[in-house]
């Protein structure tokens, strides 16, 4: 006999959504290759007025991965630091590290030199990939156990000449000369067109080592395999929902799990499009949502409030935005009510941790329990 209370916790479960999901046993680079095979000419990333197709992204990832393997001696399991603001080069670098079978160590671009040195020493990284304005954060050496090489990119190489986005000066700065044999120019490296080794296939291999402050002492690295990342992505996509036709606004920092998972991995694994911003700017975000028909956005309440309180928001066409999710703080009740009444948007509050690869649990899409 069924107990009277059985199933009550499922009474608001989204209709048609299964109670269990199968997690694909594949690596993230393999998932990107599959997306590129299905959507070769589709925009994978839109940034600074320019578009990177899935075919272009996959080719650049392969070339960079091959250089890491063949020129810099990066082997399976090696750690590689990645330091920079959002942009196509960050995405290319992240997937190239994993394509080489190595482990991505994302670092907060606001870190000081001593903090970056800690990440390198604690993770055991010997190679870094860095945006040019952050190069002073790195201390390169020649002794065993030190960072010995760095790939350096300039955001401007990915920006259209006629871009009208509100881009900061450091994003528009042209590539600077590199006068050190230990420094390698990002675009020149890719232009070599090297071919990488076999695609990594072990879904249980370590993929990303993000650092979190935890509760005591120095930051600690959270060990995520391809499968733990995919588990979060699969459940997140089903619950929100997000799909291959989605257009995702990517503004949360990619070094952080909110941005890395929701703004980068999720759209790329699904074959969707990521409209990317180097840094938050409310008016630019509104313009991008309108111009590119953005349908999905994950953001903390403060960012949502900033956007919808912008003086010019009433003149923007934002009807394409249908999935609005976030966490990190409680959404004020009055703001949630305004979003629903004026824009028909349910702000879907959720919760996750660096330790859980972002998505852990969330309110049902049409049953948002406020705050």
């Amino acid at each position: 006999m069924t107990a009277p209370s059985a199933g009550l916790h499922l009474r608001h479960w989204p209709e048609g959504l299964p109670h269990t999901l199968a997690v694909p046993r594949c690596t993230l680079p393999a998932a990107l290759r599959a997306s590129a095979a299905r959507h070769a000419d589709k925009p994978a990333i839109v940034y600074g007025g320019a578009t990177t197709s899935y075919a272009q992204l996959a080719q650049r990832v392969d070339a960079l991965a091959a250089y890491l393997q063949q020129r810099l001696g990066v082997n399976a399991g090696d750690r590689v630091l990645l330091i920079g603001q959002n942009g196509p080069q960050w995405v290319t670098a992240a997937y190239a590290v994993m394509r080489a079978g190595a482990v991505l160590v994302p670092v907060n671009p606001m870190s000081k030199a001593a903090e970056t040195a800690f990440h390198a020493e604690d993770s055991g990284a010997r190679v870094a990939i860095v945006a040019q304005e952050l190069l002073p954060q790195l201390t390169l050496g020649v002794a065993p156990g030190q960072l010995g090489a760095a790939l350096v990119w300039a955001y401007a190489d990915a920006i259209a000449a006629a871009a009208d986005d509100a881009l900061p000066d450091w994003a528009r700065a042209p590539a600077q000369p590199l006068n050190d044999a230990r420094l390698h120019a990002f675009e020149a490296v890719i232009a070599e067109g090297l071919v990488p080794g076999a695609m990594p296939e072990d879904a249980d291999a370590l993929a990303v080592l993000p650092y979190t402050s935890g509760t005591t002492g120095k930051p600690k690295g959270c060990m995520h395999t391809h499968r733990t990342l995919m588990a979060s992505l699969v459940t997140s996509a089903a619950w929100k929902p997000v799909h291959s036709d989605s257009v995702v606004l990517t503004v949360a920092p990619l070094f952080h799990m909110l941005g890395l998972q929701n703004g980068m991995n999720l759209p790329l694994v699904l074959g969707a499009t990521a409209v990317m911003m180097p840094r938050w700017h409310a008016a630019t975000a509104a313009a991008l949502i309108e111009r590119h028909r953005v349908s999905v956005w994950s953001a903390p309440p403060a960012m949502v409030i900033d956007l919808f309180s912008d003086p010019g928001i009433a003149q923007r066409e934002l009807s394409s935005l249908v999935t609005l999710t976030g966490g990190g703080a409680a959404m004020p009740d009055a703001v949630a009510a305004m979003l629903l009444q004026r824009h028909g948007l349910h702000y879907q509050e959720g919760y996750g941790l660096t330790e859980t690869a972002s998505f852990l649990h969330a309110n049902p899409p049409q049953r948002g329990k406020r705050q």
Side-chain angles (χ1 to χ4, degrees):
M1 181 175 178
T2 303
S5 62
L8 287 180
H9 64 295
L10 297 175
R11 60 186 170 181
H12 298 301
W13 192 266
E15 185 176 355
L17 187 69
H19 294 168
T20 60
L21 294 169
V23 178
R25 294 188 65 90
C26 70
T27 64
L28 284 166
L32 175 61
R33 174 181 283 184
S35 291
R38 294 192 304 268
H39 309 286
D41 298 326
K42 183 177 181 180
I45 303 170
V46 177
Y47 175 86
T51 297
T52 303
S53 72
Y54 270 95
Q56 291 169 329
L57 178 59
Q59 181 274 325
R60 287 170 62 81
V61 165
D62 277 1
L64 188 57
Y67 193 92
L68 289 171
Q69 292 172 326
Q70 298 171 30
R71 300 286 192 266
L72 298 182
V74 172
N75 298 310
D78 286 354
R79 277 64 162 159
V80 178
L81 295 190
L82 177 54
I83 317 168
Q85 306 284 356
N86 291 7
Q89 295 100 331
W90 205 104
V91 178
T92 301
Y95 273 82
V97 170
M98 293 185 287
R99 174 67 179 84
V103 181
L104 174 66
V105 183
V107 178
N108 186 341
M110 303 299 287
S111 299
K112 304 299 183 184
E115 295 168 323
T116 302
F118 167 78
H119 284 81
E121 181 180 357
D122 190 72
S123 67
R126 302 294 171 262
V127 173
I129 308 177
V130 60
Q132 65 178 5
E133 85 281 8
L134 300 174
L135 192 53
Q137 289 187 15
L138 293 182
T139 301
L140 298 181
V142 294
Q146 294 181 326
L147 276 174
L151 293 161
V152 185
W153 85 77
Y155 308 95
D157 290 333
I159 294 172
D164 59 357
D165 298 354
L167 297 169
D169 291 341
W170 48 259
R172 294 184 179 275
Q176 300 300 306
L178 302 175
N179 300 315
D180 187 323
R182 296 169 298 181
L183 302 179
H184 307 255
F186 196 90
E187 294 301 325
V189 160
I190 291 176
E192 290 195 26
L194 299 176
V195 178
M199 176 70 73
E201 296 182 354
D202 184 3
D204 291 315
L206 193 61
V208 181
L209 192 65
Y211 277 73
T212 180
S213 58
T215 54
T216 59
K218 292 184 178 294
K220 302 165 184 66
C222 297
M223 301 172 69
H224 281 299
T225 66
H226 295 273
R227 194 145 68 110
T228 61
L229 295 168
M230 288 294 291
S232 174
L233 295 172
V234 167
T235 52
S236 178
W239 192 255
K240 287 180 179 178
V242 188
H243 45 74
S244 63
D245 290 325
S246 296
V247 180
V248 178
L249 184 64
T250 301
V251 63
L254 293 178
F255 82 89
H256 189 276
M257 271 294 170
L258 176 64
L260 187 142
Q261 284 284 76
N262 294 279
M264 182 181 76
N265 287 335
L266 187 59
L268 295 183
V269 165
L270 295 174
T273 297
V275 176
M276 194 166 290
M277 298 175 63
R279 188 171 285 179
W280 174 246
H281 185 267
T284 298
L288 291 173
I289 293 171
E290 181 180 51
R291 184 185 310 157
H292 299 290
R293 304 293 295 165
V294 168
S295 56
V296 178
W297 183 28
S298 294
M303 203 173 281
V304 176
I305 293 169
D306 191 33
L307 175 73
F308 285 96
S309 61
D310 187 79
I313 200 68
Q315 285 70 52
R316 294 293 184 183
E317 170 53 64
L318 306 180
S319 62
S320 61
L321 191 59
V322 295
T323 300
L324 182 59
T325 69
M331 171 63 77
D333 189 72
V335 178
M338 177 275 292
L339 289 172
L340 184 57
Q341 293 165 7
R342 295 185 190 177
H343 304 280
L345 289 169
H346 294 266
Y347 183 75
Q348 187 183 6
E349 293 189 57
Y351 180 77
L353 297 162
T354 304
E355 292 87 343
T356 63
S358 190
F359 185 84
L360 182 59
H361 54 248
N363 288 320
Q366 302 304 320
R367 179 77 177 185
K369 185 177 181 181
R370 294 179 185 173
Q371 301 189 341

